[in-house]
Structure formats: structure tokens, C-alpha cells
CSV table of all heavy atoms in Angstrom, one decimal:
chain,number,residue,atom,x,y,z
A,1,PRO,N,51.3,15.1,26.2
A,1,PRO,CA,52.1,15.9,25.3
A,1,PRO,C,51.7,17.4,25.2
A,1,PRO,O,52.5,18.3,24.9
A,1,PRO,CB,51.9,15.2,23.9
A,1,PRO,CG,51.7,13.8,24.3
A,1,PRO,CD,50.9,13.9,25.5
A,2,ASP,N,50.4,17.7,25.5
A,2,ASP,CA,50.0,19.1,25.3
A,2,ASP,C,49.4,19.7,26.5
A,2,ASP,O,48.9,20.9,26.5
A,2,ASP,CB,49.0,19.2,24.1
A,2,ASP,CG,47.7,18.4,24.3
A,2,ASP,OD1,47.7,17.5,25.2
A,2,ASP,OD2,46.8,18.7,23.6
A,3,ALA,N,49.4,19.0,27.7
A,3,ALA,CA,48.8,19.6,28.9
A,3,ALA,C,49.3,18.8,30.1
A,3,ALA,O,49.6,17.6,30.0
A,3,ALA,CB,47.2,19.5,28.9
A,4,VAL,N,49.4,19.5,31.2
A,4,VAL,CA,49.9,19.0,32.5
A,4,VAL,C,48.9,19.3,33.6
A,4,VAL,O,48.4,20.5,33.7
A,4,VAL,CB,51.3,19.5,32.9
A,4,VAL,CG1,51.7,18.9,34.2
A,4,VAL,CG2,52.3,19.1,31.8
A,5,LEU,N,48.6,18.4,34.4
A,5,LEU,CA,47.7,18.6,35.6
A,5,LEU,C,48.6,18.4,36.9
A,5,LEU,O,49.2,17.3,37.0
A,5,LEU,CB,46.5,17.6,35.6
A,5,LEU,CG,45.7,17.6,37.0
A,5,LEU,CD1,45.0,18.9,37.2
A,5,LEU,CD2,44.8,16.4,37.0
A,6,VAL,N,48.6,19.3,37.8
A,6,VAL,CA,49.2,19.2,39.1
A,6,VAL,C,48.1,19.5,40.1
A,6,VAL,O,47.6,20.7,40.1
A,6,VAL,CB,50.4,20.1,39.3
A,6,VAL,CG1,51.0,19.9,40.7
A,6,VAL,CG2,51.5,19.8,38.2
A,7,ALA,N,47.8,18.6,41.0
A,7,ALA,CA,46.7,18.8,41.9
A,7,ALA,C,47.0,18.1,43.2
A,7,ALA,O,47.6,17.1,43.3
A,7,ALA,CB,45.3,18.3,41.3
A,8,HIS,N,46.5,18.7,44.3
A,8,HIS,CA,46.6,18.1,45.6
A,8,HIS,C,45.5,17.0,45.6
A,8,HIS,O,44.4,17.2,45.1
A,8,HIS,CB,46.4,19.1,46.7
A,8,HIS,CG,46.8,18.5,48.1
A,8,HIS,ND1,45.9,17.8,48.9
A,8,HIS,CD2,47.9,18.7,48.8
A,8,HIS,CE1,46.6,17.4,50.0
A,8,HIS,NE2,47.8,18.0,49.9
A,9,GLN,N,45.9,15.9,46.2
A,9,GLN,CA,44.9,14.7,46.2
A,9,GLN,C,43.6,15.1,46.9
A,9,GLN,O,42.6,14.5,46.5
A,9,GLN,CB,45.6,13.5,46.8
A,9,GLN,CG,46.7,13.0,46.0
A,9,GLN,CD,47.2,11.6,46.3
A,9,GLN,OE1,46.3,10.7,46.7
A,9,GLN,NE2,48.4,11.3,46.2
A,10,SER,N,43.6,16.0,47.8
A,10,SER,CA,42.4,16.3,48.5
A,10,SER,C,41.5,17.2,47.6
A,10,SER,O,40.3,17.3,47.9
A,10,SER,CB,42.7,17.1,49.8
A,10,SER,OG,43.3,18.4,49.5
A,11,ALA,N,42.0,17.7,46.5
A,11,ALA,CA,41.2,18.5,45.6
A,11,ALA,C,40.9,17.8,44.3
A,11,ALA,O,40.5,18.5,43.3
A,11,ALA,CB,42.0,19.8,45.3
A,12,VAL,N,40.9,16.5,44.3
A,12,VAL,CA,40.8,15.8,43.1
A,12,VAL,C,39.4,16.0,42.4
A,12,VAL,O,39.2,16.0,41.2
A,12,VAL,CB,41.0,14.3,43.3
A,12,VAL,CG1,40.0,13.7,44.2
A,12,VAL,CG2,41.1,13.5,42.0
A,13,GLU,N,38.4,16.2,43.2
A,13,GLU,CA,37.0,16.4,42.7
A,13,GLU,C,36.9,17.8,42.0
A,13,GLU,O,35.9,18.0,41.3
A,13,GLU,CB,36.0,16.3,43.8
A,13,GLU,CG,35.9,15.0,44.5
A,13,GLU,CD,35.4,13.9,43.5
A,13,GLU,OE1,34.7,14.2,42.5
A,13,GLU,OE2,35.9,12.7,43.6
A,14,GLN,N,37.8,18.7,42.2
A,14,GLN,CA,37.8,20.0,41.5
A,14,GLN,C,38.3,20.0,40.1
A,14,GLN,O,38.3,21.1,39.4
A,14,GLN,CB,38.5,21.0,42.4
A,14,GLN,CG,37.8,21.2,43.8
A,14,GLN,CD,38.6,22.2,44.7
A,14,GLN,OE1,39.1,23.2,44.2
A,14,GLN,NE2,38.6,21.9,46.0
A,15,VAL,N,38.9,18.9,39.7
A,15,VAL,CA,39.5,18.8,38.3
A,15,VAL,C,38.4,19.1,37.3
A,15,VAL,O,38.6,19.9,36.3
A,15,VAL,CB,40.1,17.5,38.1
A,15,VAL,CG1,40.5,17.3,36.6
A,15,VAL,CG2,41.3,17.3,39.0
A,16,LYS,N,37.2,18.6,37.5
A,16,LYS,CA,36.1,18.8,36.6
A,16,LYS,C,35.8,20.3,36.4
A,16,LYS,O,35.5,20.8,35.3
A,16,LYS,CB,34.8,18.1,37.0
A,16,LYS,CG,33.7,18.1,36.1
A,16,LYS,CD,32.5,17.3,36.6
A,16,LYS,CE,31.4,17.3,35.6
A,16,LYS,NZ,30.3,16.4,36.1
A,17,GLU,N,35.8,21.0,37.6
A,17,GLU,CA,35.6,22.5,37.5
A,17,GLU,C,36.7,23.2,36.8
A,17,GLU,O,36.4,24.2,36.0
A,17,GLU,CB,35.5,23.0,39.0
A,17,GLU,CG,34.3,22.4,39.8
A,17,GLU,CD,34.4,22.8,41.2
A,17,GLU,OE1,35.1,23.7,41.6
A,17,GLU,OE2,33.8,22.1,42.1
A,18,ALA,N,37.9,22.8,36.9
A,18,ALA,CA,39.0,23.4,36.2
A,18,ALA,C,38.9,23.2,34.7
A,18,ALA,O,39.2,24.2,33.9
A,18,ALA,CB,40.3,22.9,36.7
A,19,VAL,N,38.5,22.1,34.3
A,19,VAL,CA,38.3,21.8,32.9
A,19,VAL,C,37.2,22.6,32.3
A,19,VAL,O,37.3,23.1,31.2
A,19,VAL,CB,38.1,20.3,32.6
A,19,VAL,CG1,37.8,20.0,31.2
A,19,VAL,CG2,39.3,19.5,33.1
A,20,ALA,N,36.1,22.8,33.1
A,20,ALA,CA,35.0,23.6,32.6
A,20,ALA,C,35.4,25.1,32.4
A,20,ALA,O,35.0,25.7,31.5
A,20,ALA,CB,33.8,23.5,33.7
A,21,GLU,N,36.3,25.5,33.3
A,21,GLU,CA,36.9,26.9,33.1
A,21,GLU,C,37.7,27.0,31.9
A,21,GLU,O,37.6,28.0,31.1
A,21,GLU,CB,37.7,27.3,34.4
A,21,GLU,CG,38.4,28.6,34.3
A,21,GLU,CD,37.5,29.8,34.1
A,21,GLU,OE1,36.3,29.7,34.4
A,21,GLU,OE2,38.0,30.9,33.7
A,22,LEU,N,38.6,26.0,31.6
A,22,LEU,CA,39.3,26.0,30.4
A,22,LEU,C,38.4,26.0,29.2
A,22,LEU,O,38.7,26.8,28.2
A,22,LEU,CB,40.2,24.7,30.3
A,22,LEU,CG,41.4,24.7,31.2
A,22,LEU,CD1,42.1,23.3,31.1
A,22,LEU,CD2,42.4,25.8,31.0
A,23,ASP,N,37.4,25.2,29.2
A,23,ASP,CA,36.4,25.2,28.1
A,23,ASP,C,35.7,26.5,27.9
A,23,ASP,O,35.5,27.0,26.8
A,23,ASP,CB,35.4,24.1,28.4
A,23,ASP,CG,34.6,23.7,27.1
A,23,ASP,OD1,35.1,23.9,26.0
A,23,ASP,OD2,33.5,23.2,27.2
A,24,ARG,N,35.4,27.2,29.0
A,24,ARG,CA,34.7,28.5,29.0
A,24,ARG,C,35.6,29.5,28.3
A,24,ARG,O,35.1,30.4,27.6
A,24,ARG,CB,34.3,28.9,30.4
A,24,ARG,CG,33.5,30.2,30.4
A,24,ARG,CD,33.3,30.8,31.8
A,24,ARG,NE,34.6,31.2,32.4
A,24,ARG,CZ,35.2,32.4,32.1
A,24,ARG,NH1,34.6,33.2,31.2
A,24,ARG,NH2,36.3,32.7,32.6
A,25,ARG,N,36.9,29.4,28.5
A,25,ARG,CA,37.9,30.3,27.9
A,25,ARG,C,38.3,30.0,26.5
A,25,ARG,O,39.1,30.6,25.9
A,25,ARG,CB,39.1,30.4,28.8
A,25,ARG,CG,38.9,31.1,30.2
A,25,ARG,CD,40.0,30.8,31.2
A,25,ARG,NE,41.3,30.9,30.6
A,25,ARG,CZ,42.4,30.3,31.1
A,25,ARG,NH1,42.3,29.7,32.3
A,25,ARG,NH2,43.6,30.4,30.5
A,26,GLY,N,37.7,28.9,26.0
A,26,GLY,CA,38.0,28.5,24.6
A,26,GLY,C,39.3,27.8,24.4
A,26,GLY,O,39.8,27.7,23.3
A,27,VAL,N,39.9,27.2,25.5
A,27,VAL,CA,41.2,26.5,25.4
A,27,VAL,C,40.9,25.1,24.8
A,27,VAL,O,40.2,24.3,25.3
A,27,VAL,CB,41.9,26.4,26.8
A,27,VAL,CG1,43.2,25.6,26.7
A,27,VAL,CG2,42.1,27.7,27.4
A,28,SER,N,41.5,24.9,23.6
A,28,SER,CA,41.2,23.7,22.9
A,28,SER,C,41.5,22.4,23.7
A,28,SER,O,40.8,21.4,23.5
A,28,SER,CB,41.9,23.6,21.5
A,28,SER,OG,43.3,23.6,21.7
A,29,GLN,N,42.6,22.4,24.5
A,29,GLN,CA,42.9,21.2,25.3
A,29,GLN,C,41.9,20.8,26.2
A,29,GLN,O,42.0,19.7,26.8
A,29,GLN,CB,44.3,21.5,26.0
A,29,GLN,CG,45.5,21.5,25.1
A,29,GLN,CD,45.8,22.9,24.6
A,29,GLN,OE1,44.9,23.7,24.6
A,29,GLN,NE2,47.0,23.1,24.2
A,30,ALA,N,40.9,21.6,26.5
A,30,ALA,CA,39.8,21.2,27.4
A,30,ALA,C,39.0,20.0,26.7
A,30,ALA,O,38.4,19.2,27.4
A,30,ALA,CB,38.8,22.3,27.7
A,31,ARG,N,38.9,20.0,25.4
A,31,ARG,CA,38.1,19.1,24.7
A,31,ARG,C,38.9,18.1,23.8
A,31,ARG,O,38.5,17.0,23.6
A,31,ARG,CB,37.1,19.8,23.8
A,31,ARG,CG,36.1,20.6,24.6
A,31,ARG,CD,35.0,21.1,23.6
A,31,ARG,NE,34.0,21.9,24.4
A,31,ARG,CZ,32.7,22.0,24.0
A,31,ARG,NH1,32.3,21.4,22.9
A,31,ARG,NH2,31.9,22.7,24.7
A,32,PHE,N,40.0,18.6,23.2
A,32,PHE,CA,40.7,17.9,22.2
A,32,PHE,C,42.1,17.5,22.6
A,32,PHE,O,42.8,18.2,23.2
A,32,PHE,CB,40.8,18.7,20.9
A,32,PHE,CG,39.4,19.2,20.4
A,32,PHE,CD1,39.0,20.5,20.5
A,32,PHE,CD2,38.5,18.2,19.8
A,32,PHE,CE1,37.7,20.9,20.1
A,32,PHE,CE2,37.3,18.6,19.4
A,32,PHE,CZ,36.9,20.0,19.5
A,33,HIS,N,42.5,16.3,22.1
A,33,HIS,CA,43.9,15.8,22.2
A,33,HIS,C,44.7,16.3,21.0
A,33,HIS,O,44.2,16.5,20.0
A,33,HIS,CB,43.9,14.3,22.3
A,33,HIS,CG,43.8,13.7,23.7
A,33,HIS,ND1,44.8,13.8,24.6
A,33,HIS,CD2,42.8,13.1,24.3
A,33,HIS,CE1,44.4,13.2,25.7
A,33,HIS,NE2,43.2,12.8,25.5
A,34,ARG,N,46.0,16.3,21.2
A,34,ARG,CA,46.9,16.5,20.1
A,34,ARG,C,46.9,15.3,19.2
A,34,ARG,O,46.9,15.4,18.0
A,34,ARG,CB,48.3,16.8,20.6
A,34,ARG,CG,49.2,17.4,19.6
A,34,ARG,CD,50.7,17.5,20.1
A,34,ARG,NE,51.4,16.3,20.1
A,34,ARG,CZ,52.6,16.1,20.4
A,34,ARG,NH1,53.4,17.2,20.8
A,34,ARG,NH2,53.2,14.9,20.4
A,35,ARG,N,46.8,14.1,19.8
A,35,ARG,CA,46.7,12.9,19.1
A,35,ARG,C,45.2,12.6,18.9
A,35,ARG,O,44.4,12.5,19.8
A,35,ARG,CB,47.3,11.7,19.9
A,35,ARG,CG,47.4,10.4,19.2
A,35,ARG,CD,48.2,9.4,20.0
A,35,ARG,NE,48.3,8.1,19.4
A,35,ARG,CZ,47.4,7.1,19.6
A,35,ARG,NH1,46.4,7.3,20.5
A,35,ARG,NH2,47.6,5.9,19.0
A,36,VAL,N,44.8,12.4,17.6
A,36,VAL,CA,43.5,12.2,17.2
A,36,VAL,C,43.2,10.8,16.6
A,36,VAL,O,44.0,10.4,15.7
A,36,VAL,CB,43.0,13.3,16.2
A,36,VAL,CG1,41.6,13.1,15.8
A,36,VAL,CG2,43.3,14.7,16.8
A,37,ALA,N,42.2,10.2,17.1
A,37,ALA,CA,41.8,8.8,16.6
A,37,ALA,C,40.9,9.0,15.3
A,37,ALA,O,40.0,9.9,15.3
A,37,ALA,CB,41.1,8.0,17.6
A,38,ARG,N,41.2,8.2,14.3
A,38,ARG,CA,40.4,8.1,13.1
A,38,ARG,C,40.0,6.7,12.9
A,38,ARG,O,40.7,5.8,13.4
A,38,ARG,CB,41.1,8.7,11.9
A,38,ARG,CG,41.2,10.2,12.0
A,38,ARG,CD,39.8,10.8,11.7
A,38,ARG,NE,39.9,12.3,11.6
A,38,ARG,CZ,39.5,13.1,12.6
A,38,ARG,NH1,39.1,12.6,13.7
A,38,ARG,NH2,39.5,14.4,12.4
């Protein structure tokens, strides 16, 4: 609902690096879901 990933299958191992970049930029979707468990 709040984020989309499009990646070539050969680059699947680079997803972790992309998320780290989102986190470095302070993008909340790197860590948090819109739907939250309690």
C-alpha cells in the first residue's frame, strides 16, 4: 500500500543496499509499514 519495488532478478541481492539508502535519507517506509501490529 505504501511502497513498490521493481527490480531485475539478477539484481535481487542489491535490494538490501537500496533499503539502506532509503533509511539513510530518513524515508519512513524503509523501516515502518502503514499497517502496524499491536
Side-chain angles (χ1 to χ4, degrees):
D2 63 344
V4 178
L5 169 70
V6 179
H8 195 275
Q9 294 196 33
S10 64
V12 67
E13 294 299 326
Q14 297 176 36
V15 173
K16 185 175 183 179
E17 299 170 17
V19 177
E21 174 61 17
L22 288 177
D23 196 23
R24 187 190 65 78
R25 289 164 43 198
V27 178
S28 64
Q29 285 89 340
R31 297 188 177 207
F32 303 107
H33 270 286
R34 198 184 78 174
R35 184 173 180 270
V36 177
R38 287 290 185 257

